[in-house]
Amino acid sequence: MKKILLLSDTHSYIDDTILKYVAQADEVWHAGDIGDLAVTDAIKKLKPLRCVYGNIDDAKARLEFPLHNRFMCEGVDVWITHIGGYPGKYNSNIKAEIVANPPKLFICGHSHILKVMFDKKHNLLHMNPGAAGKSGFHQVRTMLRFVIEGDKIKDLEIIEIEKKP
C-alpha cells in the first residue's frame, strides 16, 4: 500500500502547509510547472518524488525531470505528463499512445483546474490535482491524496489549501 500526494503547478511556491501533507505521504507526485527547483528539493528532503517538467520549467528542471513519467506503482500503470488534456479532449501529442497503450491512471496538470474523471472508452482514471501554487487564475489552491493498494486506487481526497487573497 502506498499513500500518494499529487500536486502540480507550484510555480516556485511551497509552504509549510504543502510540506505538512508531503510528510504524511509515502510518495509525492508532481505533474509539472515546478518553477524553482527549491520546491522539488524541499519535497525530496522528506519523501520520494516522481515528477515531470511543465511548460514554464527551465533547462535545469528539464535535465532533472522527464516530459513523461510512466511507471508501475504496486499493480497500477501510471502515466504523468504536464499537458495531457482529459477524457474526450486528450492532447494531440499523446492521444495515439493513450489509444494504443492506455495506463490505468493518467495524470496531468497545466489547467489549474482540479478534475478527476473515469474514461470508460479507454478504461482509465484521469486526475488533475489543480494548482498548489499561488500563480494563475485559480481561486483555491488544491492537491489530491489517495492510496494505491495492489491494483486498486482508493480513498481519494481533495485537499483545498486556501482561497487566494
Side-chain angles (χ1 to χ4, degrees):
M1 180 180 91
K2 293 246 182 185
K3 293 183 270 181
I4 309 299
L5 178 68
L6 174 60
L7 68 158
S8 186
D9 295 275
T10 48
H11 291 261
S12 301
Y13 185 80
I14 192 154
D15 62 13
D16 289 340
T17 302
I18 293 171
L19 292 174
K20 175 185 86 172
Y21 287 102
V22 166
Q24 295 169 7
D26 294 323
E27 287 186 9
V28 178
W29 300 351
H30 194 304
D33 277 4
I34 304 155
D36 192 314
L37 289 180
V39 169
T40 49
D41 290 346
I43 293 168
K44 287 190 294 185
K45 282 181 184 170
L46 297 173
K47 296 294 171 162
L49 173 69
R50 296 182 189 263
C51 188
V52 296
Y53 70 79
N55 57 295
I56 68 137
D57 292 318
D58 64 11
K60 280 199 227 172
R62 291 168 192 240
L63 282 172
E64 186 167 346
F65 301 109
L67 175 61
H68 302 284
N69 193 348
R70 190 154 184 182
F71 57 92
M72 291 297 292
C73 180
E74 300 249 331
V76 176
D77 180 5
V78 180
W79 181 2
I80 305 174
T81 194
H82 184 61
I83 303 175
Y86 55 89
K89 297 213 179 228
Y90 292 114
N91 181 289
S92 59
N93 295 326
I94 58 108
K95 188 173 183 178
E97 180 66 19
I98 289 219
V99 170
N101 185 19
K104 182 165 184 161
L105 177 57
F106 179 67
I107 295 169
C108 61
H110 186 62
S111 70
H112 293 221
I113 299 168
L114 186 144
K115 188 178 288 197
V116 178
M117 299 173 67
F118 188 74
D119 181 342
K120 290 180 187 171
K121 185 174 180 183
H122 299 102
N123 195 32
L124 65 84
L125 182 61
H126 161 78
M127 290 184 187
N128 183 323
K134 291 192 170 186
S135 295
F137 66 88
H138 58 283
Q139 296 301 304
V140 180
R141 297 170 49 223
T142 57
M143 302 182 294
L144 291 171
R145 183 163 58 176
F146 56 96
V147 170
I148 293 182
E149 188 170 10
D151 65 352
K152 304 275 188 273
I153 303 160
K154 62 184 196 175
D155 301 335
L156 177 65
E157 296 175 74
I158 295 169
I159 300 167
E160 292 186 347
I161 302 171
E162 69 179 357
K163 289 199 174 195
K164 286 173 32 180

